[in-house]
Amino acid sequence: MPDDFNENPDPEATTPAAEGQYPEPKHGVKPGHMDTSPIDPGNIEVLQILDEHGQLDKSLDPPLNDELLVSMHRGLVLTRTFDHRMLTMQRQGEMGTFAPNLGQEACQLGQVIPLSKKDWYSPSYRSFGAQIWRGWSMERLLLLWAGYHEGFPPPAGVNDLPFSIVVGSHVLPAVGVAMGMNYKSDASCMVVNFGDGALSQGAVAEALNIAAVNAAPVVFVCENNGWAISTPLNKQAASENLAVRGLGFGMPSIRVDGNDILAMTVAVDEAAQRARGGGGPTFIEAVTYRMSLHTTADDPTVYREEKLVDPWEERCPIRRFETYMKYKGLLDSTTIERIHAECEQEVIKARDHFRSTAASHPREIFDHLFEQLPEELEAQRDAYLRRLDEGGGSDG
Ligand SMILES: Cc1ncc(C[n+]2csc(CCOP(=O)(O)OP(=O)(O)O)c2C)c(N)n1
Ligand SMILES: [Mg+2]
């Protein structure tokens, strides 16, 4: 476990709870009548199976089959290779924007590996590694981030919801889908992924509450990557960890090393089984780090010192898992190198396919939001189409 795993990332920061700075009680409540002690973060179970160096806690080694372990490794490498390639493509003007997930690969894959095709997944905008695992082709994801509407709908047969850029807005609808499973007595579950910043949204609090009250089969994966764009965690939450939030709503909550794919897989599997069996929701705080940009429109060097990122290089989820795979005798250095090269080829193939299929349809941009276009937008569309006809753009 990293030494600072349970610490507030800003050692200068103090919390009101730590300083006893609760406001004076009002309305005649006498001091001492109210228990103002913070929820004990020690009540929160912490799970790590592979330590920072990939050393295994043998008592926790999960019984995953060899084939699955090999595909988990490939999934991690493919996610990172795709992330690198998308960044290059964006810088060359081929992508509109996207949200990189360098360093968060284990967190992403671990939250969907235990799911069956019948289960549902509600991703965030940073979850493309999980989406690939769930059955989204890389070509589709490239179309999506390049701004083609063909890329947005989930592929046929994949029980995923589209993500929303409006932070935290997808969590409540995901709970609604899960409550529907209860009404239909359908023993499936929903995993919903959101960030540390999203956890501050009121709608997410409502989602946690209504899920707990209705025993909705949901696994809440709060991906704590330390940042919400430029807002660091200690400006986002005063509690010592985020998992206590789930406890407060009355659901089992756990803090997991999000850079440990085994820990993530085990924690989500247990929570998913509980949900499918009628045991209601679970809150998982997955501790990881956003090593790269928030999105390609962001420049973290203006608000984050590089030295904060360095320790997370050491915690690389892929290297840790490769150490484990070598220990298990499932991969050696030569095979690992070959897998990296194959993933690179696979991503290049997807890029080339995307390049040969992507065609813009500027005449359609008003077509996909409203069944019946409002009057003022009709006027805008007509003016826009006139401009295209006059040579202000091209169709194709
Ligand atoms: C309602 C809303 N407010 C603000 C934004 C701008 N915004 C986009 S992402 C983001 C930060 C979200 O941080 P977090 O939930 O931690 O997820 P992360 O990006 O770290 O994965 C913000 C403030 C938005 N998209 N929607
Ligand atoms: Mg975040």
Side-chain angles (χ1 to χ4, degrees):
M1 184 72 60
D3 288 344
D4 56 358
F5 192 76
N6 266 318
E7 279 174 16
N8 192 313
D10 179 355
E12 301 293 306
T14 52
T15 65
E19 291 186 342
Q21 290 171 352
Y22 284 102
E24 285 298 307
K26 290 180 187 152
H27 308 303
V29 178
K30 293 195 184 77
H33 284 206
M34 194 167 50
D35 180 9
T36 54
S37 54
I39 295 173
D40 179 4
N43 284 340
I44 298 288
E45 191 192 332
V46 174
L47 181 64
Q48 184 190 55
I49 297 175
L50 295 176
D51 76 8
E52 265 182 271
H53 311 289
Q55 296 305 312
L56 172 70
D57 180 337
K58 292 198 181 93
S59 66
L60 297 176
D61 193 11
L64 303 176
N65 73 53
D66 295 352
E67 205 185 324
L68 176 63
L69 288 167
V70 170
S71 56
M72 283 161 65
H73 172 259
R74 197 185 189 85
L76 290 173
V77 177
L78 192 64
T79 301
R80 181 164 299 183
T81 312
F82 188 58
D83 185 71
H84 277 148
R85 182 58 54 186
M86 279 224 281
L87 187 56
T88 312
M89 290 173 74
Q90 197 278 338
R91 293 308 193 222
Q92 292 172 345
E94 286 188 88
M95 291 289 114
T97 182
F98 86 105
N101 73 7
L102 180 70
Q104 298 181 222
E105 300 87 353
C107 187
Q108 300 254 312
L109 289 189
Q111 60 191 265
V112 289
I113 287 167
L115 298 188
S116 75
K117 275 188 94 101
K118 262 187 78 203
D119 294 319
W120 282 74
Y121 181 54
S122 176
S124 101
Y125 44 78
R126 205 181 293 287
S127 315
F128 57 83
Q131 287 174 298
I132 296 172
W133 184 274
R134 291 281 290 168
W136 293 64
S137 70
M138 288 184 282
E139 289 86 342
R140 182 181 286 260
L141 291 166
L142 290 171
L143 283 169
L144 189 166
W145 285 109
Y148 297 96
H149 70 85
E150 293 87 341
F152 277 79
V158 174
N159 281 350
D160 287 7
L161 297 180
F163 62 76
S164 167
I165 295 288
V166 183
V167 169
S169 63
H170 64 296
V171 185
L172 207 38
V175 171
V177 172
M179 284 172 64
M181 293 170 189
N182 275 355
Y183 289 125
K184 294 199 303 199
S185 304
D186 168 7
S188 307
C189 70
M190 162 70 81
V191 170
V192 55
N193 178 208
F194 53 94
D196 44 293
L199 191 58
S200 299
Q201 291 287 60
V204 175
E206 291 172 23
L208 291 166
N209 193 48
I210 199 166
V213 166
N214 290 286
V218 190
V219 182
F220 294 98
V221 178
C222 178
E223 202 160 326
N224 174 4
N225 64 4
W227 295 89
I229 313 187
S230 54
T231 303
L233 185 66
N234 65 303
K235 297 270 182 271
Q236 193 73 250
S239 55
E240 280 188 44
N241 62 59
L242 300 181
V244 287
R245 206 73 70 90
L247 209 59
F249 284 101
M251 66 182 82
S253 302
I254 185 169
R255 194 161 205 242
V256 179
D257 184 339
N259 282 18
D260 172 357
I261 193 166
L262 295 180
M264 279 301 297
T265 305
V266 165
V268 173
D269 187 39
E270 191 184 312
Q273 287 190 36
R274 180 166 42 243
R276 293 185 202 109
T282 300
F283 187 97
I284 295 176
E285 176 191 2
V287 182
T288 181
Y289 201 75
R290 198 203 77 213
M291 297 181 69
S292 183
L293 319 163
H294 167 68
T295 66
T296 50
D298 176 44
D299 174 10
T301 61
V302 300
Y303 58 79
R304 179 171 83 177
E305 286 185 69
E306 198 51 36
K307 69 172 197 270
L308 287 172
V309 183
D310 294 342
W312 293 90
E313 294 279 358
E314 300 297 314
R315 296 167 193 157
C316 171
I318 301 183
R319 204 165 44 236
R320 279 159 81 168
F321 193 56
E322 286 176 347
T323 302
Y324 170 79
M325 292 297 275
K326 285 182 185 166
Y327 162 79
K328 296 287 267 189
L330 294 171
L331 294 176
D332 58 22
S333 300
T334 318
T335 323
I336 288 173
E337 235 173 82
R338 179 173 52 78
I339 290 168
H340 282 254
E342 284 171 3
C343 286
E344 182 66 32
Q345 284 316 306
E346 213 180 313
V347 170
I348 293 289
K349 206 166 136 203
R351 180 204 62 184
D352 291 346
H353 189 230
F354 157 78
R355 282 180 175 165
S356 66
T357 55
S360 63
H361 304 291
R363 301 191 83 86
E364 293 178 7
I365 66 172
F366 283 84
D367 291 354
H368 301 287
L369 198 53
F370 294 95
E371 176 68 27
Q372 182 73 46
L373 207 59
E375 240 171 62
E376 64 272 23
L377 284 187
E378 253 183 47
Q380 283 183 25
R381 182 195 56 194
D382 293 347
Y384 168 74
L385 291 179
R386 262 199 312 281
R387 197 169 139 220
L388 287 184
D389 291 339
E390 288 159 8
S394 64
D395 191 1

